Each structure stands twice: as structure tokens, then as C-alpha cells.
Amino acid sequence: MAHGAGGAVMQSLIEKYILKHFGGVQVDVPIDALDDAAVVQGMVLKSDSYTVKPLFFPGGDIGRLAVSGTVNDMCMIGGDPLALAEGFILEEGFNIRELDRILESMRKASDEVGVPVVTGDTKVMERGALDKFVINSSGFGRRNPLLDQNLIVARKDRDVSGQWLVDSNVRAGDKIILSGTIGDHGIAVLSARQGYGFETKVESDAAPLKSVVNSALKVGGVVAMKDPTRGGLANLLNEWCQKSHVGILVEEERVPVKEGVRAACEMLGLDVFEVGNEGKFVAAVVPSRAEAVLAAIKANPLGKDAAIIGEATGDFELVAMETVVGGRRIIAAPAGDPVPRIC
Amino acid sequence: MAHGAGGAVMQSLIEKYILKHFGGVQVDVPIDALDDAAVVQGMVLKSDSYTVKPLFFPGGDIGRLAVSGTVNDMCMIGGDPLALAEGFILEEGFNIRELDRILESMRKASDEVGVPVVTGDTKVMERGALDKFVINSSGFGRRNPLLDQNLIVARKDRDVSGQWLVDSNVRAGDKIILSGTIGDHGIAVLSARQGYGFETKVESDAAPLKSVVNSALKVGGVVAMKDPTRGGLANLLNEWCQKSHVGILVEEERVPVKEGVRAACEMLGLDVFEVGNEGKFVAAVVPSRAEAVLAAIKANPLGKDAAIIGEATGDFELVAMETVVGGRRIIAAPAGDPVPRIC
């Protein structure tokens, strides 16, 4: 299960097996970069499978997830999503009313963000060959028209080599902005599974982030963006750290976590930094623009709880956290995901 | 199972449930057209899931299928595929050597056609939640540079309203060219399942068709193209018939079928017209260019058995066949697929 969990074990599967075959292709942002999406001839391409269990959970469902996740990955690299292709695989006998609810939810999310579903595919597997229903969500987009001006602003502070918002762009001194509370999605999905009865109802944050991303890019100075999905914030920061060859220092008390999520994590022994999110993003911003970008993000309802949670540093090359009780601890990349099949 | 089989039952699922939510979006070729791929802002987008069982079969495997199928659907509408995104869903415990063989096969097919895999995604479902392995294959492409000249040539014969090679473009008098033998893929997959022992070994035709499609477009005069996958040639011709409001008359003796495929179909009581293919296409060509297009297709190894199998007519609005024994029979759209999970 860890091979699909978004952490270090999956990274090793991809590096050892998948890149062996598909690496080395020369495109603007190649598969080797293992970034959020690929860029080919100036166009952004993204594909993701959704196997969340259960299909419906507080705050969302597999359909909302499929639209949001694919849109968000295209946004993260600096793309402007234009269209989605949605493939459905159903287990024979799958309830048609559930399918209908899922499709309605996809259309709603698609309308919210203004990215249409333009093509699709339907396959059926015989009873027992698939656990109900999975979605393959892919899409393409153009370069975000706000990206050039955003990078011009960033370059007033320092050199930025990449033309896209890739994981290797972070430099010492950059401020790390988190767009809101973490852990909501993973805990909401867990709470919907049998046998968990939490006191507080936690809702998934699944949402397409295009508008709040654009709020940030309009200010300018953003050099990297990424959404903390599988593997959570811990995995995201470690990826930046490895690919950008910088350290990242986070202040625990600045990381927003809802009380219900914190309580559930304590009860279950989960590290909230490793729990997946589907409606949050992290931006690395040049220092002079960080406060302005933060203000713009907070002005958008999707970013109202945003905070500067730390900064990149040249002093070490790992992710460290100043804890609330004082002292520092290292945040390692999780081996797997503490909560399987959350997306 | 019929809901995923590519025939009339699936058509009704899509029209009743999926278009209800996703229809009505204004793009160049919208989802409502139910064509091979979508066209948005001049770019072609396609997504398909592959659930073939077994994963390996004579002449191919799920990986070769995933690359070929997505490339072909983009070609069929007049696209020039630029890049592929491949998503993998594995059952926990899936054999890593099988994964490796599949990936190698995908890379080989991708190299053959010159369309790189640039991004991907890996998910794992727990043991029992998925029958081994499925692939989600998507891609995008630009408008085929040969398309404008091809349509200029077609317009010397008659008006062609569409700017793409859509299913609604066929008109009375158009010649119907089939690029080779039918039934190979479906029968090859069936033969690989337990319990079938055919005398003759039949190999799947799974192949990316870009080069042979381009051979045809270079000559010019092609107005529609489509690959006879799920539902086979019978489904394809019926879709053209319905969307173009023409009849199609096919001569049975001109339709190439390999002896081993014919024998297997007889043994199993299958109609070869309904069996799926993965390396063939059908072109509707204006009359004056049909022989020249046929010659160009036959000159390509992927089209060596091509033939003009019939023509469109205004005399009726269904698919009819002159049989080898004389007389005509109607070829109806199959309700489902006689061979489930062949792609």
C-alpha cells in the first residue's frame, strides 16, 4: 500500500521502475522532475487517478476530488486549466443513483472553477474485480497569463532560473506560505469510514484553488507552489528541500490546524503534517513580497486562514520545525501515508 | 457489463446520465458529439481507461494498448498527438516484474509513434479491491498540420462543413475504407483467457496508427475517421450512420478477416463485425480520392490489407451488407460487446 501513498516508498517505486522507462524525454518540464504536472510545448498536462474510500465523505465526494485535484495540480506549476477529461471505471452493478450524485458534484466543481469536462470514457469491470468505482481525471491547460508578470516581480529580489513554478525554484530566504488549515481532508475521509466516531465533525477541504492561486500570482513574487496532498505538508516540504537543495524551517505554532483535526490526530496517533489535503496549497515567495502575497491569499475565502509558516534557509538541507514547547525536531518525509486511499 | 461495452447500452448510459451533467459546454468539438476526442481552443484532448483481462495476450499487453488507444483516438479526429499522461492503479501485491514488462512495452509503443509519456500517477488499492492493474491513459495534441490541405482536397468534390474529422461528416457517395483485417484484437484477448484453445494463433493488432493516418491525409479527401474498438465495425458504421444521417452499404466479401479469426468466431458464435480492434481505422473519403487514399494506406505496413469495403448512400439510413451468398442484411449496433474487458 505504501507504494501508492505519496511518500518515500512511492518515490522509490517511481524512480526505480517508472523513470527507468519514461525518463530522459526532453520537454519544458519533464517527467523526471516529478513535479505536479508536465509542460510540453508551453501546454500543461496532468493525469490523476482517484480511488478514495468511501466515495462520499463530509465536505465532498470522489467527483469533487477528481475535478479539484487535477485543476489544482495544473495551477500549482503555473498553468491555467482549460479542459478536463474524466474516465470512469465502474464495478458491475454500481448504483446508478450514486453515479448520478458523483457526476452532479463534478459538474458543480467544474462550474465553480470554470473548467469544463469535455470528454470522457466509461469502463465496467465485473462484480468483485473493482471496489465500486474509480475516476481517472486528466486535463490540459495553457501557461497562466499572470505567470510572466509574477516572475518579473520575483526577479526584482533575485534570479529565478525556471520559467514555471517548479519544486527546484526555492532559495534560502524565501518565505513559506500555507493557504489554510491542514489535515481536514484526510481526517474527514477517515471519519466517514466505519468504526470511527469523532466528537467534532471534520469536513474535507476539497476545492479547486484556481481563484486563490491567481490572487497570489497577481501580487507577484511567487517562485514555487505545491499542494500538500498524499504525504501531507511533511512530504511537500521534503520534496522542495531535496529538489531545491535548501533547508526549510517551520514554526509549529504558525501552522493552522482545526481543533477537531488536532483531537482526531491525537486519538489515532497520526502526525497531522503527514495527513493529506485537497484544498490547500503552499507557496514559496521572495521575501519582499511575502506579506503582500499573504494578504491577497487571506482576502480570498479559500485562503482565509493562510499564514507564513516558515522560511527556506541555507544553514542545513532538511525540514526542521521549531516546536511549540521549544526545541527543534526534524520533519522526515513519511514512508507511506498514515491514511490510505484518501484520494 | 454492457454499460461499458461500447454498444447501444453504453450509449444510453452516457446520454441519460453523463451528458445530463456535462453536456452543453461550447467548445470546438464538444462532449455531446461523442466523438473520438474533444477539441478545445484548437487542441485535442483524450482520456481512456484500460481494464483488459488478461494483462498480457498474443501480440500485446495492457501497456501497448494504453499508448495505442489514446494516440489513435487523437489521430482519428484530426489531431497530432504531442504527449501522453499515464496513470496506474495497482492492486496491493501486484508483481513488480509484470509492472516492469508493461512499462517497457509502453515505452516501446511510445517510441514507435514518437509521442512521449511526460507525466503520470500511481495509486494502490488494497488486495481484493482491484483485479490486478488498470491504466488511465490520456494525452493532448495539436491540430494535425496535414488536416487543412486534406480538407481543401475534399472540398474540390463537395462541401465539408466541419473543421475536424468528426462522425457527422459522412455524405452519400463517400467511399468507406477499412485499413485491414477485423477481429484480431478481440479474438487474441479471448484466446489468452483460460479455457480457449484455438488451432490458429491469432495476434492482437494493437498499434499506434499515426503514420498510416498521415499517409492517408497527405493524399487528401478524407472527411471522417474512426477506429473500430469496442463494439467493432458494426458499432462504428452505425455511429456514422446516425450522426451523419446517411446509410452505409458494405460488401461482405471485401471486408478482410483472417482465417483464424473467422474460425474462432464461428466456433464461439461471435459476429466478427462486433469484435473490437486496436490497430485499425475506417476512413470516409470523397469518391474522387478514394483509390489514391487506399493506395497510400496500403503502402504503409500498418495498412497493407486495406480495402474499400463499401460506400455511404442516401437511399436509406442504416447499415446494410451485401452478403457473400447474395442478399442484404442489416447490421445493427451491438447492444453490448460480445467479448468484455478487451481494452
Side-chain angles (χ1 to χ4, degrees), chain B residues 52-66 68 101-102 105-106 108-109 112 184-185 188-189 191-192 201-207 278 342:
Chain B
V52 66
K53 179 183 183 172
L55 300 173
F56 302 89
F57 44 81
D61 56 70
I62 190 172
R64 183 170 180 82
L65 215 52
S68 305
R101 274 176 67 194
I102 292 165
S105 167
M106 295 184 85
K108 195 173 155 283
E112 253 173 67
D184 305 41
H185 175 70
V189 170
S191 77
K201 192 177 169 191
V202 177
E203 296 218 321
S204 166
D205 56 356
E278 292 289 343
I342 60 158

mmCIF file of all heavy atoms in Angstrom, chain B residues 52-66 68 101-102 105-106 108-109 112 184-185 188-189 191-192 201-207 278 342:
data_model
loop_
_atom_site.group_PDB
_atom_site.id
_atom_site.type_symbol
_atom_site.label_atom_id
_atom_site.label_comp_id
_atom_site.label_asym_id
_atom_site.label_seq_id
_atom_site.Cartn_x
_atom_site.Cartn_y
_atom_site.Cartn_z
ATOM 1 N N VAL B 52 -8.185 -4.274 -19.612
ATOM 2 C CA VAL B 52 -8.136 -5.538 -20.353
ATOM 3 C C VAL B 52 -7.740 -6.701 -19.438
ATOM 4 O O VAL B 52 -6.955 -6.549 -18.499
ATOM 5 C CB VAL B 52 -7.150 -5.430 -21.547
ATOM 6 C CG1 VAL B 52 -5.731 -5.256 -21.072
ATOM 7 C CG2 VAL B 52 -7.276 -6.619 -22.485
ATOM 8 N N LYS B 53 -8.333 -7.851 -19.723
ATOM 9 C CA LYS B 53 -8.061 -9.055 -18.949
ATOM 10 C C LYS B 53 -7.886 -10.216 -19.910
ATOM 11 O O LYS B 53 -8.791 -10.486 -20.707
ATOM 12 C CB LYS B 53 -9.254 -9.322 -18.025
ATOM 13 C CG LYS B 53 -9.113 -10.557 -17.171
ATOM 14 C CD LYS B 53 -10.376 -10.738 -16.363
ATOM 15 C CE LYS B 53 -10.203 -11.950 -15.437
ATOM 16 N NZ LYS B 53 -11.309 -12.062 -14.501
ATOM 17 N N PRO B 54 -6.799 -10.933 -19.929
ATOM 18 C CA PRO B 54 -5.619 -10.749 -19.083
ATOM 19 C C PRO B 54 -4.753 -9.563 -19.516
ATOM 20 O O PRO B 54 -4.974 -9.014 -20.589
ATOM 21 C CB PRO B 54 -4.864 -12.062 -19.292
ATOM 22 C CG PRO B 54 -5.219 -12.467 -20.689
ATOM 23 C CD PRO B 54 -6.630 -12.040 -20.894
ATOM 24 N N LEU B 55 -3.759 -9.236 -18.676
ATOM 25 C CA LEU B 55 -2.912 -8.076 -18.954
ATOM 26 C C LEU B 55 -1.984 -8.307 -20.131
ATOM 27 O O LEU B 55 -1.579 -7.370 -20.806
ATOM 28 C CB LEU B 55 -2.092 -7.727 -17.699
ATOM 29 C CG LEU B 55 -2.903 -7.381 -16.452
ATOM 30 C CD1 LEU B 55 -1.991 -7.224 -15.238
ATOM 31 C CD2 LEU B 55 -3.701 -6.098 -16.662
ATOM 32 N N PHE B 56 -1.623 -9.586 -20.346
ATOM 33 C CA PHE B 56 -0.753 -9.937 -21.474
ATOM 34 C C PHE B 56 -1.517 -10.879 -22.396
ATOM 35 O O PHE B 56 -2.212 -11.778 -21.928
ATOM 36 C CB PHE B 56 0.528 -10.617 -20.984
ATOM 37 C CG PHE B 56 1.326 -9.765 -20.028
ATOM 38 C CD1 PHE B 56 1.090 -9.821 -18.661
ATOM 39 C CD2 PHE B 56 2.297 -8.893 -20.496
ATOM 40 C CE1 PHE B 56 1.811 -9.019 -17.774
ATOM 41 C CE2 PHE B 56 3.021 -8.096 -19.627
ATOM 42 C CZ PHE B 56 2.776 -8.158 -18.256
ATOM 43 N N PHE B 57 -1.381 -10.689 -23.693
ATOM 44 C CA PHE B 57 -2.092 -11.533 -24.673
ATOM 45 C C PHE B 57 -1.236 -11.577 -25.938
ATOM 46 O O PHE B 57 -0.329 -10.741 -26.106
ATOM 47 C CB PHE B 57 -3.480 -10.953 -24.946
ATOM 48 C CG PHE B 57 -3.491 -9.460 -25.126
ATOM 49 C CD1 PHE B 57 -3.144 -8.881 -26.345
ATOM 50 C CD2 PHE B 57 -3.797 -8.614 -24.064
ATOM 51 C CE1 PHE B 57 -3.122 -7.505 -26.501
ATOM 52 C CE2 PHE B 57 -3.766 -7.218 -24.216
ATOM 53 C CZ PHE B 57 -3.437 -6.670 -25.435
ATOM 54 N N PRO B 58 -1.500 -12.507 -26.838
ATOM 55 C CA PRO B 58 -0.673 -12.603 -28.043
ATOM 56 C C PRO B 58 -0.682 -11.286 -28.811
ATOM 57 O O PRO B 58 -1.750 -10.748 -29.101
ATOM 58 C CB PRO B 58 -1.351 -13.714 -28.852
ATOM 59 C CG PRO B 58 -2.110 -14.522 -27.856
ATOM 60 C CD PRO B 58 -2.534 -13.568 -26.784
ATOM 61 N N GLY B 59 0.500 -10.746 -29.081
ATOM 62 C CA GLY B 59 0.614 -9.520 -29.868
ATOM 63 C C GLY B 59 0.577 -8.242 -29.059
ATOM 64 O O GLY B 59 0.709 -7.150 -29.621
ATOM 65 N N GLY B 60 0.425 -8.345 -27.747
ATOM 66 C CA GLY B 60 0.381 -7.104 -26.989
ATOM 67 C C GLY B 60 0.143 -7.283 -25.515
ATOM 68 O O GLY B 60 0.201 -8.398 -24.986
ATOM 69 N N ASP B 61 -0.107 -6.190 -24.857
ATOM 70 C CA ASP B 61 -0.380 -6.164 -23.423
ATOM 71 C C ASP B 61 -1.078 -4.848 -23.113
ATOM 72 O O ASP B 61 -1.208 -3.984 -23.990
ATOM 73 C CB ASP B 61 0.927 -6.286 -22.629
ATOM 74 C CG ASP B 61 1.908 -5.205 -23.004
ATOM 75 O OD1 ASP B 61 1.665 -4.035 -22.667
ATOM 76 O OD2 ASP B 61 2.917 -5.518 -23.674
ATOM 77 N N ILE B 62 -1.506 -4.693 -21.870
ATOM 78 C CA ILE B 62 -2.273 -3.511 -21.476
ATOM 79 C C ILE B 62 -1.507 -2.206 -21.720
ATOM 80 O O ILE B 62 -2.095 -1.168 -22.040
ATOM 81 C CB ILE B 62 -2.734 -3.621 -19.992
ATOM 82 C CG1 ILE B 62 -3.740 -2.529 -19.635
ATOM 83 C CG2 ILE B 62 -1.537 -3.634 -19.036
ATOM 84 C CD1 ILE B 62 -4.385 -2.678 -18.267
ATOM 85 N N GLY B 63 -0.183 -2.264 -21.634
ATOM 86 C CA GLY B 63 0.626 -1.065 -21.829
ATOM 87 C C GLY B 63 0.628 -0.607 -23.281
ATOM 88 O O GLY B 63 0.428 0.579 -23.580
ATOM 89 N N ARG B 64 0.839 -1.541 -24.188
ATOM 90 C CA ARG B 64 0.807 -1.216 -25.618
ATOM 91 C C ARG B 64 -0.582 -0.699 -26.020
ATOM 92 O O ARG B 64 -0.708 0.239 -26.808
ATOM 93 C CB ARG B 64 1.170 -2.463 -26.435
ATOM 94 C CG ARG B 64 1.226 -2.213 -27.916
ATOM 95 C CD ARG B 64 1.807 -3.363 -28.722
ATOM 96 N NE ARG B 64 1.817 -3.012 -30.118
ATOM 97 C CZ ARG B 64 2.742 -2.283 -30.723
ATOM 98 N NH1 ARG B 64 3.776 -1.841 -30.020
ATOM 99 N NH2 ARG B 64 2.666 -1.976 -32.008
ATOM 100 N N LEU B 65 -1.584 -1.315 -25.442
ATOM 101 C CA LEU B 65 -2.969 -0.918 -25.688
ATOM 102 C C LEU B 65 -3.221 0.524 -25.235
ATOM 103 O O LEU B 65 -3.860 1.307 -25.946
ATOM 104 C CB LEU B 65 -3.858 -1.855 -24.866
ATOM 105 C CG LEU B 65 -5.194 -2.285 -25.406
ATOM 106 C CD1 LEU B 65 -5.052 -2.853 -26.801
ATOM 107 C CD2 LEU B 65 -5.798 -3.336 -24.474
ATOM 108 N N ALA B 66 -2.727 0.862 -24.045
ATOM 109 C CA ALA B 66 -2.989 2.181 -23.465
ATOM 110 C C ALA B 66 -2.366 3.286 -24.309
ATOM 111 O O ALA B 66 -2.981 4.330 -24.537
ATOM 112 C CB ALA B 66 -2.469 2.241 -22.029
ATOM 113 N N SER B 68 -1.428 2.963 -27.591
ATOM 114 C CA SER B 68 -2.016 2.945 -28.940
ATOM 115 C C SER B 68 -3.410 3.555 -28.950
ATOM 116 O O SER B 68 -3.737 4.375 -29.814
ATOM 117 C CB SER B 68 -2.105 1.503 -29.460
ATOM 118 O OG SER B 68 -0.843 0.885 -29.415
ATOM 119 N N ARG B 101 7.484 -5.111 -17.176
ATOM 120 C CA ARG B 101 7.241 -5.531 -18.567
ATOM 121 C C ARG B 101 6.232 -4.611 -19.251
ATOM 122 O O ARG B 101 6.372 -4.265 -20.425
ATOM 123 C CB ARG B 101 6.662 -6.959 -18.606
ATOM 124 C CG ARG B 101 7.683 -8.063 -18.593
ATOM 125 C CD ARG B 101 6.992 -9.424 -18.547
ATOM 126 N NE ARG B 101 6.248 -9.738 -19.758
ATOM 127 C CZ ARG B 101 5.351 -10.722 -19.846
ATOM 128 N NH1 ARG B 101 5.071 -11.467 -18.779
ATOM 129 N NH2 ARG B 101 4.718 -10.955 -20.980
ATOM 130 N N ILE B 102 5.193 -4.226 -18.499
ATOM 131 C CA ILE B 102 4.154 -3.349 -19.059
ATOM 132 C C ILE B 102 4.738 -1.976 -19.379
ATOM 133 O O ILE B 102 4.492 -1.409 -20.445
ATOM 134 C CB ILE B 102 2.970 -3.229 -18.068
ATOM 135 C CG1 ILE B 102 2.235 -4.569 -17.959
ATOM 136 C CG2 ILE B 102 2.014 -2.125 -18.496
ATOM 137 C CD1 ILE B 102 1.284 -4.668 -16.769
ATOM 138 N N SER B 105 6.879 -2.086 -22.440
ATOM 139 C CA SER B 105 6.053 -2.155 -23.635
ATOM 140 C C SER B 105 5.455 -0.786 -23.984
ATOM 141 O O SER B 105 5.367 -0.401 -25.148
ATOM 142 C CB SER B 105 4.951 -3.188 -23.386
ATOM 143 O OG SER B 105 3.958 -3.104 -24.358
ATOM 144 N N MET B 106 5.076 -0.024 -22.949
ATOM 145 C CA MET B 106 4.541 1.326 -23.186
ATOM 146 C C MET B 106 5.603 2.220 -23.787
ATOM 147 O O MET B 106 5.343 2.986 -24.709
ATOM 148 C CB MET B 106 4.075 1.951 -21.865
ATOM 149 C CG MET B 106 2.924 1.240 -21.223
ATOM 150 S SD MET B 106 2.335 2.075 -19.718
ATOM 151 C CE MET B 106 1.224 3.279 -20.430
ATOM 152 N N LYS B 108 8.123 1.335 -25.534
ATOM 153 C CA LYS B 108 8.378 0.896 -26.905
ATOM 154 C C LYS B 108 7.299 1.462 -27.852
ATOM 155 O O LYS B 108 7.622 2.022 -28.904
ATOM 156 C CB LYS B 108 8.393 -0.647 -26.951
ATOM 157 C CG LYS B 108 8.988 -1.224 -28.210
ATOM 158 C CD LYS B 108 9.136 -2.736 -28.114
ATOM 159 C CE LYS B 108 9.143 -3.372 -29.499
ATOM 160 N NZ LYS B 108 7.800 -3.460 -30.114
ATOM 161 N N ALA B 109 6.059 1.341 -27.465
ATOM 162 C CA ALA B 109 4.971 1.868 -28.309
ATOM 163 C C ALA B 109 5.075 3.386 -28.440
ATOM 164 O O ALA B 109 4.858 3.952 -29.515
ATOM 165 C CB ALA B 109 3.612 1.474 -27.724
ATOM 166 N N GLU B 112 7.837 4.115 -30.860
ATOM 167 C CA GLU B 112 7.398 3.785 -32.223
ATOM 168 C C GLU B 112 6.684 4.961 -32.881
ATOM 169 O O GLU B 112 6.893 5.250 -34.049
ATOM 170 C CB GLU B 112 6.367 2.637 -32.150
ATOM 171 C CG GLU B 112 6.833 1.275 -32.611
ATOM 172 C CD GLU B 112 5.750 0.221 -32.307
ATOM 173 O OE1 GLU B 112 4.668 0.269 -32.922
ATOM 174 O OE2 GLU B 112 6.012 -0.613 -31.430
ATOM 175 N N ASP B 184 -9.031 -9.214 -34.960
ATOM 176 C CA ASP B 184 -7.779 -9.770 -34.437
ATOM 177 C C ASP B 184 -7.617 -9.519 -32.936
ATOM 178 O O ASP B 184 -7.266 -10.426 -32.176
ATOM 179 C CB ASP B 184 -6.562 -9.171 -35.158
ATOM 180 C CG ASP B 184 -6.636 -9.345 -36.671
ATOM 181 O OD1 ASP B 184 -7.736 -9.177 -37.229
ATOM 182 O OD2 ASP B 184 -5.603 -9.643 -37.280
ATOM 183 N N HIS B 185 -7.860 -8.278 -32.505
ATOM 184 C CA HIS B 185 -7.590 -7.966 -31.107
ATOM 185 C C HIS B 185 -8.514 -8.718 -30.149
ATOM 186 O O HIS B 185 -8.050 -9.375 -29.213
ATOM 187 C CB HIS B 185 -7.680 -6.464 -30.840
ATOM 188 C CG HIS B 185 -7.532 -6.124 -29.388
ATOM 189 N ND1 HIS B 185 -6.328 -6.259 -28.727
ATOM 190 C CD2 HIS B 185 -8.430 -5.746 -28.450
ATOM 191 C CE1 HIS B 185 -6.503 -5.950 -27.453
ATOM 192 N NE2 HIS B 185 -7.761 -5.630 -27.255
ATOM 193 N N ALA B 188 -7.664 -12.360 -30.034
ATOM 194 C CA ALA B 188 -6.372 -12.607 -29.363
ATOM 195 C C ALA B 188 -6.541 -12.553 -27.842
ATOM 196 O O ALA B 188 -5.998 -13.389 -27.114
ATOM 197 C CB ALA B 188 -5.333 -11.594 -29.824
ATOM 198 N N VAL B 189 -7.312 -11.579 -27.374
ATOM 199 C CA VAL B 189 -7.531 -11.448 -25.924
ATOM 200 C C VAL B 189 -8.328 -12.651 -25.412
ATOM 201 O O VAL B 189 -7.973 -13.254 -24.390
ATOM 202 C CB VAL B 189 -8.256 -10.128 -25.586
ATOM 203 C CG1 VAL B 189 -8.692 -10.098 -24.131
ATOM 204 C CG2 VAL B 189 -7.352 -8.937 -25.880
ATOM 205 N N SER B 191 -8.418 -15.586 -26.687
ATOM 206 C CA SER B 191 -7.597 -16.798 -26.765
ATOM 207 C C SER B 191 -6.637 -16.890 -25.588
ATOM 208 O O SER B 191 -6.197 -17.978 -25.220
ATOM 209 C CB SER B 191 -6.820 -16.839 -28.077
ATOM 210 O OG SER B 191 -5.703 -15.970 -28.020
ATOM 211 N N ALA B 192 -6.314 -15.734 -24.991
ATOM 212 C CA ALA B 192 -5.380 -15.733 -23.862
ATOM 213 C C ALA B 192 -6.090 -16.055 -22.550
ATOM 214 O O ALA B 192 -5.452 -16.262 -21.524
ATOM 215 C CB ALA B 192 -4.681 -14.379 -23.764
ATOM 216 N N LYS B 201 -3.031 -19.470 -33.968
ATOM 217 C CA LYS B 201 -2.735 -18.407 -33.028
ATOM 218 C C LYS B 201 -3.093 -17.061 -33.661
ATOM 219 O O LYS B 201 -2.613 -16.729 -34.741
ATOM 220 C CB LYS B 201 -1.245 -18.443 -32.665
ATOM 221 C CG LYS B 201 -0.918 -17.556 -31.488
ATOM 222 C CD LYS B 201 0.551 -17.653 -31.095
ATOM 223 C CE LYS B 201 0.895 -16.576 -30.101
ATOM 224 N NZ LYS B 201 2.350 -16.473 -29.895
ATOM 225 N N VAL B 202 -3.941 -16.328 -33.005
ATOM 226 C CA VAL B 202 -4.325 -15.008 -33.503
ATOM 227 C C VAL B 202 -3.629 -13.969 -32.644
ATOM 228 O O VAL B 202 -3.633 -14.069 -31.425
ATOM 229 C CB VAL B 202 -5.857 -14.823 -33.415
ATOM 230 C CG1 VAL B 202 -6.244 -13.428 -33.862
ATOM 231 C CG2 VAL B 202 -6.568 -15.868 -34.257
ATOM 232 N N GLU B 203 -3.003 -12.971 -33.290
ATOM 233 C CA GLU B 203 -2.311 -11.921 -32.545
ATOM 234 C C GLU B 203 -3.112 -10.622 -32.575
ATOM 235 O O GLU B 203 -3.736 -10.285 -33.582
ATOM 236 C CB GLU B 203 -0.935 -11.675 -33.159
ATOM 237 C CG GLU B 203 0.004 -12.866 -33.067
ATOM 238 C CD GLU B 203 1.429 -12.429 -32.777
ATOM 239 O OE1 GLU B 203 1.843 -11.402 -33.336
ATOM 240 O OE2 GLU B 203 2.113 -13.117 -31.984
ATOM 241 N N SER B 204 -3.058 -9.909 -31.465
ATOM 242 C CA SER B 204 -3.700 -8.596 -31.409
ATOM 243 C C SER B 204 -3.048 -7.661 -32.418
ATOM 244 O O SER B 204 -1.852 -7.745 -32.681
ATOM 245 C CB SER B 204 -3.554 -8.010 -30.012
ATOM 246 O OG SER B 204 -3.875 -6.633 -30.019
ATOM 247 N N ASP B 205 -3.846 -6.728 -32.961
ATOM 248 C CA ASP B 205 -3.309 -5.738 -33.899
ATOM 249 C C ASP B 205 -2.926 -4.431 -33.201
ATOM 250 O O ASP B 205 -2.606 -3.447 -33.871
ATOM 251 C CB ASP B 205 -4.337 -5.462 -35.007
ATOM 252 C CG ASP B 205 -5.702 -5.002 -34.464
ATOM 253 O OD1 ASP B 205 -5.874 -4.974 -33.222
ATOM 254 O OD2 ASP B 205 -6.583 -4.694 -35.270
ATOM 255 N N ALA B 206 -2.944 -4.413 -31.866
ATOM 256 C CA ALA B 206 -2.723 -3.162 -31.129
ATOM 257 C C ALA B 206 -1.499 -2.419 -31.650
ATOM 258 O O ALA B 206 -0.382 -2.924 -31.596
ATOM 259 C CB ALA B 206 -2.572 -3.450 -29.631
ATOM 260 N N ALA B 207 -1.704 -1.211 -32.146
ATOM 261 C CA ALA B 207 -0.614 -0.401 -32.682
ATOM 262 C C ALA B 207 -1.048 1.053 -32.770
ATOM 263 O O ALA B 207 -2.224 1.345 -33.017
ATOM 264 C CB ALA B 207 -0.229 -0.895 -34.071
ATOM 265 N N GLU B 278 -7.792 -2.835 -32.244
ATOM 266 C CA GLU B 278 -6.996 -1.771 -31.625
ATOM 267 C C GLU B 278 -5.880 -1.254 -32.524
ATOM 268 O O GLU B 278 -5.038 -0.486 -32.081
ATOM 269 C CB GLU B 278 -6.413 -2.254 -30.285
ATOM 270 C CG GLU B 278 -7.467 -2.490 -29.203
ATOM 271 C CD GLU B 278 -8.089 -1.205 -28.658
ATOM 272 O OE1 GLU B 278 -7.520 -0.123 -28.854
ATOM 273 O OE2 GLU B 278 -9.176 -1.303 -28.043
ATOM 274 N N ILE B 342 -11.927 -6.160 -23.228
ATOM 275 C CA ILE B 342 -10.860 -6.375 -24.214
ATOM 276 C C ILE B 342 -9.966 -5.154 -24.340
ATOM 277 O O ILE B 342 -9.009 -5.139 -25.086
ATOM 278 C CB ILE B 342 -11.410 -6.724 -25.606
ATOM 279 C CG1 ILE B 342 -12.295 -5.578 -26.130
ATOM 280 C CG2 ILE B 342 -12.155 -8.042 -25.591
ATOM 281 C CD1 ILE B 342 -12.418 -5.594 -27.634
#
